[in-house]
Amino acid sequence: MHIMKYTVLTCLSICLILCSCTNGLDLYPTDKISSNKFWKTADDALKGVNATYQYVFPESDEYGMDLFFYESASDNSYNQHSNQFGNFQQIALGAYESNHAAIKKMWDLRYECIRKCNEFMENIERVSMDESLRERYTGEVCFQRAYAYYYLIALFGDVPLVDKTLTIQEAGKVTRTARKTVADFIIKDLDFAIEVLPESYSGDDDGRATKWAALALKSRVCLLMAGDYRENPNSEYWGLAADAAYKVWKESKHQLYRKGTSGADSYAKLFYDNDASASNSEVIYETQFTTLERPLYGFTVKLACVSDGGWNSWTPTQDMVDAYYMKSTGKRIDEEGFGYDPDRPYEGRDPRMKASIYYPGNTTLKGLTYNSQPGEGAPDRMDQHNGTKTGYGWKKFLDPALLGTWDTGKDFPLIRLAEVLLNYAEAKNEALDTPDQSIYDAVNAVRLRVQMPKLESGLDKDKMRERIRDERRVELAFEGTRFFDIRRWHIADEVLNLHNGWILGMKLNNPDNYIVDDEGYVRAGIRIFNSEKHYLWPIPQRETELNPNLLPNNPGWN
């Protein structure tokens, strides 16, 4: 794991040569003379490639944690601090407009990356270098451009599709391109990357995009485009997603991480053990940091509970807790024969709950018994500064060795094999009339890693879909996928408007001074999800002011 740690810093210095910040769509170079002097050697080409990696997961203490903020705009999590990420809490609660700072920032970051990719494409042939290396570098940049466009179409729908650098005048005239056309462009970039990228790297190149990363991203893109099975039951994208995921599963050396002493321990360590990102382990693509050159600011402090030295910036909801199945039966807590005891709600649950969530009775990383009930004087009580508003906390991703550390060198997984297996299962299930054994095998592999029971046999297509979606939710919890899943499945209006919009936390022993529902569950906040407008973000107001050709805006935002 060296490339992101030790070469991106060098690239930051050349960004002033390759580009500069602009007030509008950031797709054109502003210093052609310096650019013409730059693209001469293989080292210049390498710096150009490396410059595109910095946008995958920026090191900023706010904008670099966008996946966590996305999660808070789902039914999994609550963002309880309004002073973070341009007050992303407004987006999470459905109270935002097209001039929101976070929306503009995410638009800008993706298009800055695309512009750097386009400039690379226009100049790489000028460089005197080994042809096989030129091809590999081009494949890496195609991957990065595809990654940026994926998030743009997932968030904004139709967006400008630009494959070259633009003048200021040209940038002010671009129009939006249909999402499908952009998706086909993404797939074309990824298909090229799949052909030319190596299966793995070693030494200082470890951490770069591989053939398997490109295939995994392709499966994700195709699931997005397949969308809601009710609207697109015969979509060609189901087959494309399944084929791409299957190749990673069966042809790569990647395996699920199993180095813990138990299922829960393996799952917990997966997110901070460097061995999990080895070429034969679970992490297929990650973003890399180092304490000095490229730190991940505030990650541990913002995430941890109070007794572990943290701020509880994002906290799990009761709906998230309820999503974990019973370990003994492998069923939801509301299913017949589930084995759930409401008087002991945290006992006998999926081991991933223990590894992912601080809940009453769980153990903190400092070895304390977690208790967030207000009025009981416990270190993690709700009624204190930075106390959790839902009663729960996110334990996932926390490295016990980094508690209280502000600038960490922690690497962050972006694509892992478990997601690919569940991508395959979902896509294959939709492509077939009846689930076949390969679907069972993919889901069971994920379940068995944490010592959960196998799926029951004889599931029909609808029940299998339910099981796969539930498995995605708990396996990929707090990794940023739920935000996109509930939108592509077109169920966001259903799940986000449960409980009349109230975001529920745990049941309180003493609800005095708290707003609770009829059963005593704390109401942490209330959100509005308007199905007429909130499935897509608006094109940022500043962009439409500079270029009216981007109008009309997305539904509900005009």
Side-chain angles (χ1 to χ4, degrees):
M1 296 180 295
H2 302 282
I3 166 64
M4 293 299 291
K5 290 181 178 293
Y6 301 112
T7 58
V8 170
L9 182 66
T10 302
C11 299
L12 295 178
S13 64
I14 70 167
C15 288
L16 294 176
I17 298 176
L18 296 179
C19 60
S20 68
C21 296
T22 65
N23 293 323
L25 188 67
D26 201 357
L27 294 170
Y28 52 87
T30 58
D31 195 339
K32 270 293 186 182
I33 296 177
S34 296
S35 178
N36 288 336
K37 291 181 178 178
F38 177 76
W39 297 95
K40 300 294 184 184
T41 67
D43 185 58
D44 290 343
L46 176 60
K47 291 175 181 176
V49 175
N50 292 345
T52 68
Y53 276 83
Q54 64 175 301
Y55 295 98
V56 176
F57 195 97
E59 72 270 27
S60 164
D61 61 342
E62 290 190 349
Y63 301 112
M65 299 182 188
D66 57 297
L67 296 181
F68 301 150
F69 287 102
Y70 292 146
E71 198 80 355
S72 69
S74 78
D75 51 343
N76 281 359
S77 190
Y78 176 61
N79 171 210
Q80 61 185 45
H81 295 316
S82 62
N83 63 340
Q84 294 177 349
F85 199 0
N87 195 356
F88 193 90
Q89 186 185 75
Q90 293 174 330
I91 296 176
L93 300 180
Y96 61 101
E97 298 296 337
S98 61
N99 61 352
H100 197 282
I103 292 175
K104 180 67 165 69
K105 186 64 176 181
M106 299 319 298
W107 172 279
D108 287 348
L109 285 174
R110 300 305 176 188
Y111 272 116
E112 286 172 18
C113 178
I114 290 166
R115 176 177 39 73
K116 289 185 180 180
C117 291
N118 289 342
E119 183 159 3
F120 175 94
M121 298 296 191
E122 293 176 349
N123 289 282
I124 185 60
E125 293 300 327
R126 296 166 45 194
V127 178
S128 177
M129 62 183 299
D130 177 78
E131 287 302 321
S132 62
L133 192 59
R134 187 198 314 273
E135 189 175 58
R136 195 202 86 190
Y137 285 176
T138 304
E140 290 182 63
V141 172
C142 281
F143 175 87
Q144 297 296 354
R145 185 165 62 179
Y147 194 89
Y149 267 125
Y150 161 73
Y151 277 100
L152 285 169
I153 64 172
L155 292 169
F156 299 99
D158 300 346
V159 296
L161 174 59
V162 181
D163 61 357
K164 65 176 184 177
T165 56
L166 303 177
T167 65
I168 295 176
Q169 292 74 22
E170 288 172 334
K173 296 178 181 179
V174 297
T175 59
R176 297 167 69 186
T177 304
R179 176 191 268 191
K180 185 181 186 306
T181 302
V182 182
D184 291 343
F185 179 85
I186 294 172
I187 292 171
K188 181 180 178 182
D189 263 356
L190 290 174
D191 283 343
F192 178 81
I194 291 164
E195 289 296 318
V196 302
L197 291 180
E199 297 184 7
S200 64
Y201 297 91
S202 61
D204 289 347
D205 285 331
D206 187 23
R208 293 183 179 276
T210 64
K211 169 183 179 177
W212 310 121
L215 277 163
L217 180 57
K218 181 177 179 179
S219 74
R220 187 190 286 184
V221 172
C222 291
L223 282 183
L224 172 70
M225 294 308 299
D228 182 356
Y229 74 95
R230 295 166 296 187
E231 297 178 1
N232 307 301
N234 300 313
S235 173
E236 63 178 320
Y237 290 108
W238 295 122
L240 291 173
D243 290 346
Y246 189 81
K247 288 179 181 178
V248 179
W249 178 18
K250 295 299 184 179
E251 297 178 16
S252 79
K253 295 181 180 179
H254 288 285
Q255 301 176 18
L256 294 176
Y257 176 89
R258 288 187 176 89
K259 289 196 173 183
T261 57
S262 65
D265 190 48
S266 289
Y267 187 76
K269 287 182 176 178
L270 159 65
F271 299 100
Y272 62 82
D273 183 358
N274 287 340
D275 287 345
S277 59
S279 60
N280 63 345
S281 193
E282 181 161 350
V283 177
I284 297 172
Y285 187 59
E286 66 182 356
T287 186
Q288 298 182 348
F289 298 92
T290 180
T291 303
L292 297 178
E293 291 89 352
R294 190 174 187 260
L296 181 55
Y297 299 120
F299 173 81
T300 299
V301 174
K302 290 185 177 183
L303 187 56
C305 66
V306 172
S307 68
D308 278 341
W311 297 355
N312 281 311
S313 292
W314 306 275
T315 57
T317 64
Q318 185 64 46
D319 289 336
M320 180 72 251
V321 172
D322 289 345
Y324 289 91
Y325 282 27
M326 299 302 297
K327 182 179 180 181
S328 60
T329 62
K331 293 184 177 182
R332 296 196 316 268
I333 64 172
D334 60 351
E335 287 187 278
E336 183 179 355
F338 49 71
Y340 174 71
D341 183 352
D343 294 327
R344 294 182 292 179
Y346 311 114
E347 293 186 11
R349 305 289 290 278
D350 185 325
R352 286 169 292 194
M353 189 173 85
K354 179 180 180 181
S356 301
I357 295 177
Y358 293 110
Y359 55 80
N362 200 355
T363 304
T364 69
L365 297 180
K366 289 185 178 180
L368 301 178
T369 298
Y370 182 81
N371 178 12
S372 57
Q373 288 287 348
E376 298 186 5
D380 287 299
R381 65 191 183 277
M382 294 172 63
D383 51 333
Q384 64 174 314
H385 179 62
N386 285 331
T388 167
K389 298 296 189 295
T390 65
Y392 301 112
W394 283 111
K395 192 176 181 181
K396 187 173 180 176
F397 294 111
L398 290 175
D399 184 344
L402 296 176
L403 292 182
T405 303
W406 185 258
D407 294 348
T408 73
K410 175 181 172 55
D411 300 332
F412 193 90
L414 298 172
I415 304 175
R416 56 191 183 90
L417 182 60
E419 178 198 343
V420 174
L421 292 173
L422 296 175
N423 288 355
Y424 172 79
E426 179 183 346
K428 193 67 172 180
N429 188 56
E430 299 301 346
L432 299 176
D433 293 329
T434 303
D436 68 6
Q437 186 59 43
S438 71
I439 298 173
Y440 281 90
D441 291 345
V443 179
N444 286 337
V446 178
R447 283 182 149 218
L448 291 173
R449 185 258 296 279
V450 293
Q451 299 168 335
M452 282 291 287
K454 292 182 178 181
L455 292 173
E456 63 270 46
S457 61
L459 296 177
D460 63 19
K461 184 172 184 172
D462 291 337
K463 191 63 176 180
M464 178 62 82
R465 180 186 301 114
E466 179 183 296
R467 290 287 189 243
I468 292 168
R469 289 184 176 188
D470 288 349
E471 191 67 24
R472 283 185 70 89
R473 185 175 188 182
V474 299
E475 174 65 27
L476 304 176
F478 206 47
E479 296 180 45
T481 59
R482 182 69 175 173
F483 173 95
F484 299 101
D485 283 350
I486 62 177
R487 283 160 175 79
R488 66 184 177 85
W489 295 333
H490 215 80
I491 63 170
D493 55 320
E494 172 189 341
V495 300
L496 296 180
N497 289 324
L498 284 176
H499 321 298
N500 293 317
W502 284 105
I503 301 167
L504 297 185
M506 73 177 188
K507 193 171 185 176
L508 301 185
N509 295 335
N510 181 9
D512 291 348
N513 303 317
Y514 287 87
I515 302 174
V516 297
D517 71 359
D518 293 341
E519 298 181 56
Y521 291 93
V522 66
R523 289 171 166 172
I526 191 167
R527 66 160 52 95
I528 299 170
F529 187 88
N530 184 342
S531 62
E532 301 297 321
K533 65 187 298 187
H534 286 153
Y535 272 98
L536 290 174
W537 279 1
I539 305 301
Q541 179 178 318
R542 179 58 175 163
E543 297 300 319
T544 58
E545 288 174 346
L546 290 170
N547 180 11
N549 293 308
L550 297 175
L551 295 172
N553 215 317
N554 284 324
W557 293 107
N558 287 309

